[in-house]
Amino acid sequence: MKTSILLSIAMLFALNAYCQVNEAEVVKAVDDLTISWDNEAKKLQTYEGLGSFCGESAYRKKIIGMLDEIHHYDTLLYGIVTRKFEANQDPEAKATLDDIETLESEYTTKSFRRFIHQECNTYNDIEKNLGRAKGPEYKKEVKVLEDELKKYVVEITKQIDLIDEHVHHLHLGED
């Protein structure tokens, strides 16, 4: 009996240590992905960046893969923060959960793909119909498209950065 209690306690300590390592890994991944996204978002919110996304399969796969990874780690983070919130009703944890839910419902990879597909169609139309002359009408259409693109990418970026900021306020992954 004494041995099974000691074994159970040892397993709990091992599980706790395992969860801490995973928590730290999730925090690191969220940090790294946030930095990567911030860097790519600067390019993606430009007309030239959209052209790269629309025309270069490797770049398109990179961005979509990065978004998929962000959503994956936010799902893991959601579980970690939920446990923290359940343990002590921390308001910062609640705000983090709300922001993760916003990202996961309003800025899914599927909604990004739907949005960016429309933007690529518009990009291709501009290039096909106005690209040769590159006159005032072309510049006007590019500006309109770029403004719309920037607004969307900035909103995603703001949400990703906000979640990363919460993680640091919660001191997740720290011993």
Side-chain angles (χ1 to χ4, degrees):
M1 178 76 167
K2 211 177 200 184
T3 306
S4 82
I5 291 173
L6 289 174
L7 183 59
S8 294
I9 291 171
M11 287 178 64
L12 283 174
F13 280 118
L15 180 60
N16 186 41
Y18 177 74
C19 289
Q20 290 299 317
V21 169
N22 281 340
E23 188 174 296
E25 289 173 7
V26 169
V27 169
K28 171 111 174 67
V30 168
D31 276 343
D32 292 347
L33 285 166
T34 299
I35 291 167
S36 294
W37 176 261
D38 287 349
N39 290 332
E40 291 301 329
K42 289 175 190 168
K43 177 181 178 184
L44 188 59
Q45 65 189 352
T46 66
Y47 189 76
E48 292 78 21
L50 177 63
S52 295
F53 182 90
C54 300
E56 299 171 18
S57 178
Y59 184 63
R60 188 169 42 255
K61 287 177 184 176
K62 175 183 174 182
I63 296 298
I64 297 298
M66 188 182 305
L67 275 174
D68 284 342
E69 257 192 294
I70 287 167
H71 287 293
H72 168 74
Y73 280 101
D74 278 349
T75 301
L76 296 175
L77 185 61
Y78 192 86
I80 292 166
V81 176
T82 297
R83 286 190 295 278
K84 183 173 182 70
F85 180 71
E86 288 171 351
N88 61 16
Q89 304 298 303
D90 182 344
E92 184 73 27
K94 175 65 172 128
T96 306
L97 293 172
D98 291 345
D99 287 328
I100 292 171
E101 287 172 8
T102 298
L103 183 69
E104 294 302 316
S105 62
E106 295 178 26
Y107 301 105
T108 63
T109 302
K110 184 177 180 178
S111 64
F112 175 81
R113 287 179 138 197
R114 193 176 311 117
F115 171 81
I116 206 78
H117 179 73
Q118 285 300 117
E119 297 301 280
C120 285
N121 286 342
T122 304
Y123 174 89
N124 290 332
D125 287 345
I126 291 170
E127 289 301 307
K128 179 181 173 187
N129 298 321
L130 303 169
R132 290 190 183 136
K134 301 222 191 280
E137 184 66 24
Y138 173 83
K139 290 177 183 172
K140 178 183 161 197
E141 291 297 319
V142 166
K143 174 85 171 102
V144 168
L145 179 61
E146 202 169 49
D147 288 349
E148 184 177 311
L149 179 66
K150 183 175 184 175
K151 188 175 9 172
Y152 188 85
V153 173
V154 165
E155 284 303 311
I156 292 174
T157 303
K158 186 168 48 172
Q159 204 62 35
I160 291 168
D161 290 348
L162 193 57
I163 292 165
D164 187 54
E165 188 177 314
H166 283 303
V167 168
H168 294 286
H169 288 251
L170 289 169
H171 304 290
L172 297 176
E174 298 175 5
D175 287 332

